Structures are given as structure tokens and as C-alpha cells.
Amino acid sequence: GLGKAAELAKDDLTNGEVERVRALRDRLWNGLQAGLDELYLNGSWEHRLPNNLNVSFAYVEGEAMMMGIKQIACSSGSACTSASLEPSYVLRALGVDVELAHTSIRFGLGRFNTEAEVDWAVQYIVEKASFLREMSPLYEMVKEGIDIKVGKFPFMGNARAKANFQGDGFLKILADKETDRILGCHIIGPAAGDLIHEVCVAMEFGAAAEDLARTCHAHPTFSEAVKEAAMACGDGAIHA
């Protein structure tokens, strides 16, 4: 029971297991750093559990990353905030900005993990993250030096999506920070093929995010997520 678990935990402090797991954690972090840019460690490197690694993959949404690396058991947040639309309040308290907090993934290592598994995980994660960034207009524009702002709305905040049990995913609108002109859209979730056309038409006519935000959308429909994301580019979405 609990007493035996405490005994094993005490033994791990002296038998070298803690150092072994810490070395695996360090190996994972070093491997990810070698394969990816725009990678950020969340929390103190010195003052953290030896098996814990919380990383923000800039310009890769945490939800998309989770879908991409399904063969690895990891998390984009804590169990106690799994129903929340907001990024981790712990990361926010640590000073991590909202965008980076939304891209965070938490990895945990244990006594049964090996170096070979860590090396495989590094290669797998780097491959998936690189693929997602190649599809991200945000990453491309940042690399080109374009100053942008982002409006993001999770489908969990959309009434139709919740009623249909399709709350996974999000809709993100990218706009020029100075002119507000819409530059792109990123959708992961239900009805993406139906929703993208509205943003494409707006881009064709040089519309601003405010134009979409001021457009009436039927309720309750998936299309309201477009309006909410556009509003998030400005003063903020209503239901997020």
C-alpha cells in the first residue's frame, strides 16, 4: 500500500534511480533543443522534479501537437484544468505569455523508461513539430519578419460544437498588427472545410479582422467561431 510506496520512493533517493531519471529528462531536453528552434523551457531548470519537462513549442498549438504525437503519453495541461479553455494558470503565474502557454507540452519520465525510448521520442517529436510548423502561416510570417497579432477561439466555447460533442480544436486568425488586415487562418476541429471559405473571401477583399468581428453570424452555428476569433484579435472574444 502507501507504506510500501513510501519505502520504494525513499530507496530511489539513494540507489541512483533519481539521477538516472534526471539524466533521461536532460537527454530529452537536449535532443529537442538540437532538433528545433523557438523552443522554451517552462519553469526553473534547477528547481523542478527530476522527471518533469514542460516545454513550449512556439508556433505549434498544444492541441495540434497532442494530436500529432499520439504515440507518446504526455499532456498539454494538468488534470485539474482539463475542462478549462484557458492556458495553464501556473504557467501564466510563472510569467509565460498566453500564446506560449497555449503551445506547452508536459513530459514525465519514470523508472521504466530507457535511453532508447527517449531517443525515439526526440526524433518523433522533432518530426511532428517540424511538419506542423511547415503548415503554420504564423511560423512562416514570423520568419519573414512580419509583425502579426493572433486571435484564437477554442471550439469548446462554441454552443453548436458543445451540443454536438465536437469541442476539440480551435480557430485562429492572423492579422497584421499595424493595419489589422487578415493574413491567414488556422483551423483544427469540426467543419474546418466549411469555415475556411469565409476567411478566404475576407482575405481576397483585403478585409480587416474587425470587419469579421462586426459581421453578424447565425446562432448557434460553427461559424460563430470565426467571429469570436476575429474579436480575439482586438478586445477579446465573448465566450472564451
Side-chain angles (χ1 to χ4, degrees):
L2 181 60
K4 185 62 176 179
E7 180 184 342
L8 291 173
K10 182 180 179 180
D11 289 342
D12 284 347
L13 294 176
T14 58
N15 64 11
E17 180 62 16
V18 169
E19 293 306 316
R20 188 189 76 84
V21 172
R22 180 181 286 113
L24 291 178
R25 192 257 334 257
D26 295 354
R27 189 183 186 94
L28 175 59
W29 174 235
N30 292 334
L32 293 176
Q33 283 186 299
L36 295 167
D37 63 350
E38 299 290 352
L39 204 63
Y40 300 90
L41 177 72
N42 294 318
S44 167
W45 181 249
E46 293 78 18
H47 307 291
R48 69 189 310 125
L49 293 173
N51 68 324
N52 172 274
L53 186 66
N54 192 305
V55 181
S56 285
F57 297 80
Y59 315 117
V60 179
E61 292 293 337
E63 298 97 327
M65 192 68 176
M66 289 291 293
M67 294 178 188
I69 57 173
K70 289 183 177 180
Q71 295 187 54
I72 296 178
C74 55
S75 172
S76 59
S78 64
C80 57
T81 59
S82 59
S84 173
L85 304 179
E86 297 297 316
S88 166
Y89 63 86
V90 176
L91 294 183
R92 297 291 290 123
L94 288 171
V96 180
D97 68 36
V98 174
E99 266 310 300
L100 276 182
H102 273 299
T103 71
S104 67
I105 299 290
R106 187 187 65 206
F107 301 97
L109 295 107
R111 68 176 64 191
F112 301 111
N113 292 125
T114 65
E115 287 187 355
E117 289 174 334
V118 169
D119 291 343
W120 176 86
V122 167
Q123 182 178 357
Y124 181 59
I125 295 167
V126 168
E127 177 185 330
K128 297 298 182 181
S130 298
F131 174 72
L132 290 170
R133 281 179 173 172
E134 286 176 4
M135 297 193 301
S136 170
L138 176 58
Y139 183 66
E140 181 181 343
M141 284 184 278
V142 167
K143 287 301 179 183
E144 292 176 356
I146 300 174
D147 197 10
I148 59 176
K149 59 182 178 179
V150 177
K152 178 183 175 184
F153 185 75
F155 283 111
M156 186 61 73
N158 178 268
R160 175 56 62 84
K162 291 187 71 172
N164 290 358
F165 302 101
Q166 294 179 297
D168 291 337
F170 60 89
L171 192 151
K172 175 191 288 186
I173 289 178
L174 315 175
D176 188 288
K177 201 166 189 176
E178 183 177 351
T179 66
D180 197 41
R181 181 173 179 173
I182 299 171
L183 301 174
C185 181
H186 192 189
I187 305 175
I188 295 179
D194 296 329
L195 298 178
I196 193 67
H197 79 277
E198 180 179 2
V199 183
C200 290
V201 171
M203 291 175 64
E204 181 65 24
F205 286 93
E210 184 180 4
D211 294 326
L212 281 183
R214 290 177 176 272
T215 302
C216 291
H217 290 70
H219 174 78
T221 61
F222 286 119
S223 65
E224 288 177 289
V226 177
K227 177 184 178 72
E228 296 267 17
M231 292 179 68
C233 282
D235 295 330
I238 297 176
H239 298 101

